[in-house]
Amino acid sequence: MEWINVILQGVLVGGLYAMFAAGLSLIFGVMRLVNIAHGDLIVLAAYVALVATQTFGIGPLTALIIVVPVMAIIGYALQWFVLNRTLGEDLLPPLLVTFGLSVIIQNGLLTAFTADNVKLQAGGIEVATIRLAEGLYVGVLPLLQFAVAVAVIAGLQFIFYRTAIGRAFRATADDPAVAQLMGLDNRRVFALAMAASLAVVAIAGVFLAVRANFDPSQGPARLIFGFEAVIIGGLGSLWGTLAGGLILGVAQAVGAHLDPGWQILAGHVAFLIVLAARPQGLFAKVHT
Amino acid sequence: MPEALLAVRNLEAFYGDFQALFGVSIEVARAEAVAVIGANGAGKSTLLKSIAGLLRARRDAIAFAGEPIGGMPAYAVAARGIALVPEGRGLFPSLSVEENLLIGGQLGRLGAWTLRRVYELFPVLGQRRKLPSTALSGGQQQMAALGRALMANPQLLLCDEISLGLAPIVVREIYARLPGVRAEGTAIVLVEQDVVQALAAASRVYCLQEGRVALSGAAKDLTREAIAAAYFGV
């Protein structure tokens, strides 16, 4: 029973990791861009939520109504004015620019909010639990986060495979030149993709803010977890990203149960095992 | 004399420092089929890519429906009503056959060509609509690429070597559909290495040789000797 509880907690955390990863996976899939600032943007979203809750006196989950559109607009503008200029044959410019962006975001947040830990209060929901079975309890908030993560991935999957804009994303990723022949402006397609990515980042940021303390320096760790989840799951597969997040979460939970100091390490070990055994990831989609 | 739908005047094209076209001028009237023939490297594909906006051109070098379009980005040219069937088909591998056709109609321009009509033109595509586009044979892929361009309901269709790599019987099957396309009022530019097929399908011919127009005229008026001389530059 004890181990079931451990696995369960790992699965629920894994949902959160999958949400960290989903935006990253989307952007790499559409425009082959590795966004080094991804984790910092999650933290930025958390601070936007902080400002929203303080300014309007609303709860963090209600603040999503503000944070999601704000981050989506930031994403569109970031892609349109900055990142579109870095895209080309070379993989290096986007890496360098997003690395610089990461530094700017961290220091900007540090200046605006200081290095103090903060956490958003969601009220009673944070401590509410549901009893699944004898000795098996699950927190309502982690369950909600997991459900939202699955819904977000399902939503992205729907957009990608059942809508016209999703077709545009996939076609532009396949062949940007021929996509132009269809009347698609690559700059706009990429900007919309980044807006979608940061909308997901917004949700991940709010959940991060409610779950634990955060401060401006937490971005890179989120990036690592998101990155590992994407790689474990396999590039090009959103459900694979969910699986990757779950595996990472369970690995960390198992490691933590054996010894609290092993939590993060266990996740990295799982990542390395997958990378060694199946480098393309567990559910990678391969194009011929 | 009715104004030409497409007027290319003294077009030059460069790949870096390499000049591929030297002052090429062609005209295409509404609903007309024009062939552009020439040997490998003559500049035929370069001409189409310049018209389609994939290569930079001087603004006044290309006029479409009276408006200068030279140098416009490809997505803007497509929005004007020009559809290119690229060399090598250029189908999207991540998309199914039907999705490839649907994205051809992305701009939402209404006209004679709908998904149903494309499936009527090429029934084999309808049978394989849910398959990934990579599962089609070469000839079927060419039909899909043509269908995808038609879905944009273009006024001008640019076909870049649609016979390339296909068996003659398949090429004949595809070319047999082109009169149906013209009947809807679409002008066609056929870039071809298969001279016989191009001459049969087009009313006028331009022959390019090393980036210049070496010969032009009505298809029925040109002799084999004249064409061979222009094609090979002898």
Side-chain angles (χ1 to χ4, degrees):
Chain A
M1 186 52 73
E2 191 187 339
W3 278 103
I4 295 179
N5 202 31
V6 167
I7 307 265
L8 184 60
Q9 301 313 318
V11 164
L12 296 180
V13 165
L16 189 62
Y17 290 156
M19 246 196 315
F20 289 163
L24 202 61
S25 179
L26 194 165
I27 289 305
F28 188 78
V30 174
M31 58 182 106
R32 297 284 177 276
L33 190 153
V34 178
N35 185 358
I36 301 290
H38 187 79
D40 302 287
L41 288 162
I42 294 175
V43 174
L44 175 67
Y47 277 103
V48 171
L50 177 70
V51 169
T53 55
Q54 287 177 344
T55 310
F56 299 105
I58 51 177
L61 297 178
T62 321
L64 279 170
I65 301 176
I66 297 172
V67 181
V68 169
V70 165
M71 291 304 292
I73 291 169
I74 289 176
Y76 195 97
L78 176 64
Q79 186 67 38
W80 188 271
F81 293 112
V82 179
L83 295 178
N84 269 343
R85 296 165 203 269
T86 68
L87 291 173
E89 293 294 312
D90 198 353
L91 283 178
L92 203 54
L95 278 176
L96 293 175
V97 170
T98 54
F99 179 75
L101 190 64
S102 164
V103 173
I104 291 172
I105 294 176
Q106 283 184 47
N107 283 283
L109 290 175
L110 203 57
T111 310
F113 297 99
T114 79
D116 291 343
N117 274 342
V118 279
K119 184 182 173 309
L120 294 187
Q121 307 303 329
I125 199 175
E126 287 187 51
V127 292
T129 58
I130 297 176
R131 183 169 167 278
L132 292 179
E134 184 60 53
L136 193 64
Y137 291 86
V138 65
V140 168
L141 190 60
L143 192 60
L144 179 67
Q145 291 179 354
F146 180 78
V148 170
V150 173
V152 163
I153 300 244
L156 286 176
Q157 191 79 6
F158 180 83
I159 290 173
F160 258 74
Y161 291 98
R162 298 228 191 259
T163 65
I165 187 65
R167 267 201 301 275
F169 285 153
R170 286 183 289 140
T172 307
D174 273 348
D175 195 331
V178 177
Q180 292 229 9
L181 296 177
M182 308 292 114
L184 293 170
D185 182 353
N186 293 350
R187 300 170 307 168
R188 225 173 58 84
V189 172
F190 292 153
L192 282 171
M194 186 57 88
S197 172
L198 289 206
V200 175
V201 157
I203 302 173
V206 169
F207 282 137
L208 171 73
V210 171
R211 184 182 178 83
N213 291 327
F214 63 96
D215 66 76
S217 70
Q218 297 236 327
R222 307 306 134 217
L223 174 69
I224 298 278
F225 293 154
F227 195 69
E228 288 183 343
V230 172
I231 299 293
I232 291 173
L235 291 172
S237 169
L238 285 168
W239 290 120
T241 300
L242 179 65
L246 295 183
I247 290 169
L248 193 61
V250 168
Q252 285 192 353
V254 167
H257 192 68
L258 295 172
D259 183 324
W262 289 358
Q263 179 188 347
I264 306 292
L265 181 63
H268 293 328
V269 167
F271 170 66
L272 284 174
I273 290 173
V274 171
L275 209 56
R278 202 174 147 85
Q280 70 269 35
L282 297 177
F283 304 102
K285 286 201 181 155
V286 182
H287 297 313
T288 48
Chain B
M1 170 94 164
E3 187 192 83
L5 178 66
L6 176 75
V8 175
R9 292 186 241 284
N10 288 316
L11 177 66
E12 291 179 333
F14 295 85
Y15 292 102
D17 289 334
F18 173 74
Q19 184 158 5
L21 294 178
F22 300 82
V24 168
S25 298
I26 71 165
E27 274 190 1
V28 182
R30 288 180 200 282
E32 190 185 21
V34 167
V36 177
I37 60 175
N40 249 335
K44 311 184 297 296
S45 283
T46 307
L47 174 61
L48 289 192
K49 285 183 196 166
S50 300
I51 298 170
L54 291 175
L55 284 176
R56 295 213 63 76
R58 235 177 42 249
R59 189 166 177 272
D60 58 351
I62 307 172
F64 183 68
E67 300 287 322
I69 63 163
M72 280 178 105
Y75 63 85
V77 173
R80 292 287 178 119
I82 298 179
L84 171 67
V85 183
E87 196 179 352
R89 275 82 82 166
L91 292 179
F92 299 111
S94 297
L95 272 53
S96 69
V97 172
E98 182 153 297
E99 288 177 319
N100 265 285
L101 295 176
L102 287 172
I103 202 161
Q106 180 82 9
L107 287 168
R109 186 182 302 119
L110 295 174
W113 295 104
T114 60
L115 204 56
R116 204 170 57 84
R117 279 223 45 200
V118 171
Y119 287 144
E120 276 171 27
L121 192 67
F122 299 119
V124 69
L125 294 182
Q127 292 156 15
R128 288 166 168 73
R129 64 208 288 180
K130 296 296 182 194
L131 293 179
S133 56
T134 46
L136 297 179
S137 72
Q140 292 161 357
Q141 287 191 9
Q142 191 60 71
M143 293 178 196
L146 194 51
R148 184 181 63 178
L150 289 174
M151 286 288 292
N153 282 301
Q155 289 179 277
L156 174 65
L157 186 66
L158 306 172
C159 297
D160 199 343
E161 302 216 35
I162 54 181
S163 69
L164 199 63
L166 301 183
I169 190 170
V170 177
V171 175
R172 276 198 294 277
E173 203 186 321
I174 294 175
Y175 266 86
R177 308 289 206 279
L178 292 185
V181 172
R182 280 187 56 208
E184 297 295 345
T186 308
I188 310 179
V189 176
L190 290 160
V191 156
E192 271 298 354
Q193 284 194 56
D194 183 339
V195 179
V196 172
Q197 200 62 256
L199 290 180
S203 52
R204 283 193 303 114
V205 179
Y206 293 91
C207 184
L208 292 187
Q209 198 231 62
E210 290 190 351
R212 292 178 174 80
V213 176
L215 184 66
S216 68
K220 56 178 170 42
D221 291 342
L222 298 175
T223 63
R224 283 188 59 162
E225 292 75 21
I227 293 172
Y231 198 101
F232 296 109
V234 295

